[in-house]
Amino acid sequence: MPPSPRDCARRVLEVVPSVMRAVRAEMRRHRASDLSVSQFRALVFLSRHEGASLSDVADHIGLTLPSMSNMIDGLVERRLVTRKDLPADRRRNTLSLTRAGREIEEAARAAAQSALAHRLNALSASDRAKVAQAMEILRPVFVEPRNVERKRI
Amino acid sequence: MPPSPRDCARRVLEVVPSVMRAVRAEMRRHRASDLSVSQFRALVFLSRHEGASLSDVADHIGLTLPSMSNMIDGLVERRLVTRKDLPADRRRNTLSLTRAGREIEEAARAAAQSALAHRLNALSASDRAKVAQAMEILRPVFVEPRNVERKRI
DNA sequence: TATTGTTATACTCTATAACTATA
DNA sequence: TATAGTTATAGAGTATAACAATA
């Protein structure tokens, strides 16, 4: 008997916040990088979208522009990100990771992944496969669903 | 080829924050209840653990005692929760939902579930089944893993 | 006029430290 | 002395409103 969308949603609602709490705790625990989850996500996005604008990042992470401007201020001060004007359109920013930013991003991701992996190690290989598959099912639904809307335009 | 724990962790790390963002946004959007995710989780816990102490809730949600004390203050002011002394041990609190608390909890859960369900509706029944199953696999790993440690003592 | 980003300001959430009351 | 909870205080993260610069 397949679960209804509502039943599936109930389970997601019960479990995902706890998973997220573990992720957040791990980010905090790893003092070396000491990034918030949002900061970490911004770095990940920039590592994949070299030269993205502020709006691009804000849009992807789901923060308002002022919040993102603030966050990037912090990352620039920490010398993890550079912010330059885009000559072609001087309203826009071009954001890039510095070498240190790239290193921190990789270190933070490795640390968080290790901690999560340690927990997931309690699962059988087949259960891990199921979890991994579920993530790929959820990815298009929740990660950058804006792309879908944009294509519609 | 089954994914390694590390690979599984990577996918969780990539997808779960986005799912969580959707949950959080939905909580905020539903102005009627206007609860933070933590407040919502506290109400859910209390709806299932009538008379729990402050420490019980803090432990389950993963907040410090002062933070939880604060949060409960807010919920008491909003008349969603009652806080009484426990005569048997007067250091302890007994927390309960009021009728309004119970109603808000149900309404908030229904709203969040509906919004999530709406998104999950884009999936096939079989994909939903896989997601639901994955949640049940993850539940013992991340939801109340403290119980495992306690049992060990 | 519309778009991109910044500044000013305030609120929520959470933490740590120090304290009170009870056991 | 140890435990349960509160108060005081501070910091991080985010939002909205108002603004400046550019297109």
Side-chain angles (χ1 to χ4, degrees):
Chain A
M1 205 184 317
S4 66
R6 193 172 189 76
D7 185 49
C8 188
R10 180 178 54 74
R11 295 176 205 223
V12 168
L13 203 55
E14 283 169 359
V15 173
V16 159
S18 291
V19 178
M20 194 58 193
R21 176 153 66 86
V23 169
R24 206 177 300 279
E26 194 42 44
M27 286 308 207
R28 229 177 298 129
R29 189 167 308 132
H30 197 61
R31 276 295 182 223
S33 49
D34 188 30
L35 297 167
S36 71
V37 173
S38 289
Q39 286 173 323
F40 171 68
R41 296 181 73 211
L43 293 185
V44 170
F45 181 78
L46 287 176
S47 77
R48 292 177 186 171
H49 301 84
E50 170 77 22
S53 73
L54 200 60
S55 302
D56 292 336
V57 193
D59 205 45
H60 179 261
I61 309 293
L63 291 186
T64 61
L65 221 38
S67 297
M68 188 51 72
S69 181
N70 245 335
M71 183 210 286
I72 294 293
D73 277 354
L75 294 175
V76 168
E77 270 169 33
R78 286 177 65 180
R79 316 246 180 215
L80 304 182
V81 170
T82 59
R83 171 163 42 185
K84 288 187 290 192
D85 282 352
L86 185 69
D89 180 348
R90 286 172 44 220
R91 290 171 305 182
R92 279 174 173 273
N93 274 337
T94 325
L95 303 172
S96 304
L97 293 188
T98 62
R99 171 189 284 274
R102 216 169 298 278
E103 284 168 4
I104 291 276
E105 185 261 328
E106 278 160 23
R109 190 203 319 228
Q113 268 180 30
S114 293
L116 274 181
H118 183 253
R119 296 239 213 172
L120 296 171
N121 211 18
L123 301 178
S124 68
S126 124
D127 275 355
R128 277 202 306 275
K130 286 173 183 164
V131 168
Q133 196 192 0
M135 291 301 124
E136 294 313 315
I137 292 170
L138 290 175
R139 187 193 296 272
V141 180
F142 291 100
V143 183
E144 310 198 43
R146 285 173 195 77
N147 289 350
V148 179
E149 283 168 31
R150 269 184 192 152
K151 272 170 200 157
R152 232 186 269 147
I153 294 169
Chain B
M1 204 182 318
S4 66
R6 192 173 191 75
D7 185 49
C8 187
R10 180 179 54 74
R11 295 176 204 223
V12 168
L13 203 55
E14 284 168 358
V15 173
V16 159
S18 290
V19 178
M20 195 57 194
R21 174 152 68 84
V23 169
R24 207 178 300 280
E26 194 42 45
M27 285 310 204
R28 229 176 300 128
R29 189 166 308 133
H30 197 61
R31 275 293 181 226
S33 49
D34 188 31
L35 297 167
S36 71
V37 172
S38 289
Q39 287 173 322
F40 171 67
R41 296 181 74 212
L43 293 185
V44 170
F45 181 78
L46 288 175
S47 78
R48 292 176 186 172
H49 300 84
E50 169 76 23
S53 74
L54 200 60
S55 302
D56 292 336
V57 192
D59 206 45
H60 178 262
I61 309 293
L63 291 185
T64 61
L65 219 39
S67 297
M68 188 52 72
S69 181
N70 244 335
M71 183 211 284
I72 295 293
D73 277 354
L75 295 175
V76 168
E77 269 169 33
R78 286 177 65 181
R79 316 244 180 219
L80 303 182
V81 170
T82 59
R83 172 162 44 186
K84 288 187 291 192
D85 283 353
L86 185 68
D89 180 348
R90 285 174 42 220
R91 292 172 304 182
R92 279 175 172 273
N93 274 337
T94 323
L95 302 172
S96 304
L97 293 188
T98 62
R99 169 188 286 271
R102 213 169 301 277
E103 283 167 4
I104 290 277
E105 185 260 330
E106 278 161 23
R109 192 203 316 229
Q113 268 180 28
S114 293
L116 276 180
H118 183 253
R119 296 239 212 170
L120 296 172
N121 212 18
L123 301 178
S124 68
S126 124
D127 275 355
R128 277 201 306 273
K130 285 172 183 165
V131 168
Q133 196 191 0
M135 291 302 126
E136 294 314 314
I137 291 169
L138 289 174
R139 187 193 297 273
V141 180
F142 290 100
V143 184
E144 308 198 41
R146 286 173 194 76
N147 289 349
V148 179
E149 284 169 30
R150 269 185 191 151
K151 272 171 198 155
R152 232 188 264 145
I153 292 168

